[in-house]
Amino acid sequence: MQVFPMTRAGLTGLAILFLVGCDDAAVGQKGFEAKYAVARTALEEGNYEAAKRHYLKLVPQAGPLAQRLQLEYAHAALRSNDFGKAAAVTSSLANTQTGEARSAALAVYGTAKHEMGMIALGQGDTASGKAHLTAAKGALAEVVKKHPDMDPIGSLTGRLASIKAQLKAL
């Protein structure tokens, strides 16, 4: 997962809110910004359960940033080993977005599905494991192909190679 592009996009979105807001909305925006900072700090410091709670409260009031905050929520879910929730949220996001936003959602989705596949295989459920790994392969392959800049150190490429090897062995 790449935190810096996520942070940059989140901060850009917040800046846009400030630029288009009116004076009456400024107080609400400052409150929103403060709440976002709490959620983001919790995520970055590894307090994933708190991050998830804060993001869930923010999404309904996020307006044009709602999808961005859902992605950050999914990132927290992924990091807290709530792979099913991370996959569900990012599957929905990926289906409604294009470009880098879609790829960011697919990166989380593919990672979550990979982990779900490994868990299923570890429990002896080969059919579910293979289905999860196949979904992960498709998602990560799209990210790596369409937005290789989202994988500067090769972690997604490495995960993808591992998934392909796992599928071949099944």
Side-chain angles (χ1 to χ4, degrees), residues 117-169:
M118 296 306 297
I119 290 169
L121 291 175
Q123 295 171 343
D125 186 351
T126 305
S128 291
K130 187 173 183 178
H132 290 304
L133 291 177
T134 301
K137 176 184 161 190
L140 296 179
E142 182 177 330
V143 174
V144 169
K145 180 179 180 182
K146 292 186 177 182
H147 292 97
D149 56 312
M150 295 181 111
D151 190 25
I153 59 172
S155 60
L156 293 178
T157 301
R159 185 180 287 270
L160 181 58
S162 174
I163 292 167
K164 287 177 180 179
Q166 291 163 331
L167 283 169
K168 191 173 183 178

Side-chain angles (χ1 to χ4, degrees), residues 41-146:
T41 298
L43 175 61
E44 290 176 355
E45 290 180 352
N47 191 349
Y48 305 123
E49 295 302 322
K52 290 191 303 186
R53 283 192 311 274
H54 290 293
Y55 282 123
L56 282 177
K57 290 177 187 176
L58 283 171
V59 168
Q61 57 187 292
L65 292 176
Q67 291 178 326
R68 180 71 211 167
L69 295 182
Q70 287 172 327
L71 180 61
E72 291 187 29
Y73 166 80
H75 187 127
L78 178 70
R79 295 296 182 180
S80 68
N81 299 328
D82 191 352
F83 305 122
K85 180 59 79 174
V89 169
T90 53
S91 174
S92 176
L93 285 172
N95 288 331
T96 61
Q97 301 202 19
T98 60
E100 286 188 359
R102 175 177 167 78
S103 287
L106 286 175
V108 176
Y109 174 78
T111 301
K113 292 299 270 185
H114 180 216
E115 295 298 333
M116 292 168 72
M118 296 306 297
I119 290 169
L121 291 175
Q123 295 171 343
D125 186 351
T126 305
S128 291
K130 187 173 183 178
H132 290 304
L133 291 177
T134 301
K137 176 184 161 190
L140 296 179
E142 182 177 330
V143 174
V144 169
K145 180 179 180 182
K146 292 186 177 182

Side-chain angles (χ1 to χ4, degrees), residues 22-48:
C22 63
D23 290 337
D24 292 338
V27 172
Q29 289 171 349
K30 286 192 184 291
F32 181 86
E33 181 182 359
K35 291 175 186 175
Y36 173 78
V38 170
R40 187 67 203 182
T41 298
L43 175 61
E44 290 176 355
E45 290 180 352
N47 191 349
Y48 305 123

